[in-house]
Amino acid sequence: MPVELTPALLFLLQAILLIAGPFLLWRLSGLKHVAPMVVIQILFGIALGPSLLGQAAPDLWQPLFARESLAPLSGLALLAVVFFAFLTGLHLDLEEFKGRGRAFVGISLSSMMVPTLLGGALGWWIVGAFPEMAGPKADPLLFAAGFGICVGVTALPVLGAILREMGLIGERVGRLALGYAAVNDALLWLLITAVLALAAGGSGGFAGVAWIAVLGFAYLAATELFARPLLTRLMNRIAPDGAVGDMVVVVTCAALLGSAAVTELIGLHYILGAFVAGTVMPRRLAAAILDRLEHFATLILLPFFFTLTGLKVDLDLAASAQWWVFALATVATILGKVLGTALPARLSGESAADSWRLGTLMSCKGLMEVIVLTILLEAGVLSDACFSAMVLMAVVVTALTQPMTLLAGRLAGRRAGHAGTA
């Protein structure tokens, strides 16, 4: 007697596979010491998509992961990315930027702008050589800007996980890398806001772009002038001892969802609002809120986002344009991030080993890259083919971050040893 696959049973089977599958693979296969779990989750999502499972076992893939069977997962995927953006903003402590000195600011800006400009130039060439890579709403300049941002991304939370696994989180090089990544994240959202304003205001010309930009800056000012002190007073009342109870969790979730709704309403992406909400939460509660929300968001919710992302990834082995974009973007990311960080760090007085390790660490992409790619795909800046190639680039570069950092440290240490012997 065949088993009837009811909507509830289908959802439960999908949830078990998506939540437990990547985690068990990461823990039991030894991959824990090779790549961060986010890489395994992304690859797991791609494997369940049309590129692999859809081709290898279409009869199994069709009832489980065809597009029409995933409608119940879309809401969970949206919540996943909203919570992740909020947690990223919560990781970003703006107070840490004060008094860092000219060298810190210069290296932070260089580590973001050099790969972004390199990626922008590459994107300008790609849109001419492979016009199908541009999305339906992108002119050459908008595509180049979006592509440049994708090349310049550094993933702050995943970088923190890599530093913990490598034992660098408490060392000076680890703290510097996290500081540079935090500045990168702040610049990233400013650049994404500008690109989204251009994409959303395209139909209304300059006036549409200007209006969205005005509303965006007005919202940022309102969150800083009104939301931050209001949240601080409210949290002082409901959590005077710093303990994060049920009321704090509910207020936090209401604030991040409300902020996301506002930015979506004014024509920017809801992810921007969630990120802003994370930056204005009281810093004294940041660690406790992260402790309450981070594991649930990353282990339970994010796999649903990766599945929907994997379904959008359709790698065509015969499409040379996709592989050219993947290869060129990978090279541009590694060169831009490593040189844009290591050279100014060396000039500022850092050792050769630390300079090159900082450069390789800053090439980490992780989930932040996938979120940026999803935003640009939904905004019509990137095509499906370009999105697929860039997701693969993000996976490869993130997987290479740890071995490249170890190699950079060993090579620099070996050179120093030879110099000392001489």
Side-chain angles (χ1 to χ4, degrees):
M1 178 179 176
V3 177
E4 181 185 357
L5 203 59
T6 64
L9 179 58
L10 174 61
F11 174 79
L12 292 173
L13 291 175
Q14 290 169 335
I16 292 170
L17 182 60
L18 301 180
I19 294 172
F23 182 78
L24 292 177
L25 179 64
W26 183 67
R27 288 293 295 267
L28 301 179
S29 66
L31 293 172
K32 180 180 179 181
H33 305 292
V34 178
M37 189 171 65
V38 64
V39 171
I40 308 304
Q41 288 176 319
I42 296 173
L43 287 174
F44 200 81
I46 294 174
L48 296 178
S51 300
L52 294 179
L53 186 61
Q55 295 291 330
D59 293 337
L60 175 63
W61 180 80
Q62 188 65 32
L64 281 177
F65 295 109
R67 288 182 183 271
E68 57 271 16
S69 69
L70 292 171
L73 304 185
S74 59
L76 287 173
L78 188 149
L79 274 180
V81 74
V82 165
F83 270 89
F84 185 83
F86 169 77
L87 294 173
T88 302
L90 204 57
H91 277 286
L92 185 65
D93 187 358
L94 299 177
E95 292 296 321
E96 289 191 1
F97 300 158
K98 295 180 179 179
R100 285 284 190 146
R102 213 174 289 173
F104 175 83
V105 174
I107 298 168
S108 300
L109 295 176
S110 175
S111 67
M112 179 68 178
M113 299 315 298
V114 169
T116 300
L117 293 174
L118 181 60
L122 177 60
W124 184 269
W125 179 83
I126 286 174
V127 77
F130 310 112
E132 67 273 19
M133 292 294 119
K137 294 185 179 179
D139 57 24
L141 181 60
L142 186 58
F143 176 82
F147 196 89
I149 291 171
C150 294
V151 170
V153 171
T154 292
L156 175 62
V158 177
L159 177 60
I162 290 175
L163 289 170
R164 281 192 295 273
E165 291 171 14
M166 296 181 67
L168 296 175
I169 194 71
E171 294 187 15
R172 183 173 180 274
V173 68
R175 293 195 299 271
L176 283 174
L178 287 177
Y180 300 154
V183 176
N184 274 223
D185 272 10
L187 291 173
L188 165 68
W189 291 110
L190 291 176
L191 295 173
I192 280 288
T193 301
V195 168
L196 290 177
L198 288 171
S203 58
F206 177 77
V209 175
W211 178 241
I212 292 173
V214 167
L215 290 176
F217 282 114
Y219 180 65
L220 290 176
T223 56
E224 185 64 31
L225 295 175
F226 302 108
R228 185 188 293 276
L230 179 63
L231 275 171
T232 299
R233 287 198 297 270
L234 181 60
M235 292 299 188
N236 286 341
R237 178 175 299 179
I238 62 178
D241 56 352
V244 176
D246 293 343
M247 181 64 75
V248 174
V249 172
V250 171
V251 170
T252 299
C253 292
L256 77 92
L257 294 173
S259 180
V262 171
T263 52
E264 181 73 13
L265 180 64
I266 64 178
L268 298 172
H269 205 280
Y270 56 84
I271 293 177
L272 297 174
F275 176 81
V276 170
T279 64
V280 298
M281 293 300 293
R283 300 312 307 171
R284 70 182 185 87
L285 298 176
I289 293 174
L290 283 169
D291 187 59
R292 287 292 297 266
L293 298 179
E294 193 163 28
H295 290 293
F296 177 77
T298 55
L299 295 178
I300 307 301
L301 291 179
L302 275 180
F304 296 103
F305 171 73
F306 289 129
T307 302
L308 296 185
T309 301
L311 285 173
K312 298 172 187 174
V313 175
D314 192 1
L315 296 170
D316 186 357
L317 294 176
S320 60
Q322 268 192 341
W323 298 106
W324 272 110
V325 170
F326 158 71
L328 292 172
T330 301
V331 172
T333 294
I334 294 175
L335 281 180
K337 279 293 185 182
V338 172
L339 297 180
T341 307
L343 294 183
R346 192 76 179 99
L347 292 173
S348 70
E350 297 292 337
S351 68
D354 284 351
S355 296
W356 291 112
R357 285 196 295 173
L358 286 169
T360 53
L361 286 168
M362 293 302 291
S363 64
C364 175
K365 296 291 184 185
L367 176 61
M368 188 62 66
E369 176 78 10
V370 180
I371 290 177
V372 170
L373 291 170
T374 302
I375 291 174
L376 295 177
L377 177 68
E378 293 175 354
V381 177
L382 303 180
S383 68
D384 290 336
C386 186
F387 172 84
S388 299
M390 294 297 281
V391 168
L392 186 60
M393 179 276 289
V395 172
V396 170
V397 172
T398 305
L400 288 174
T401 299
Q402 188 167 331
M404 284 194 306
T405 303
L406 292 172
L407 179 62
R410 287 172 186 166
L411 290 177
R414 191 175 301 167
R415 288 196 197 99
H418 289 327
T421 302

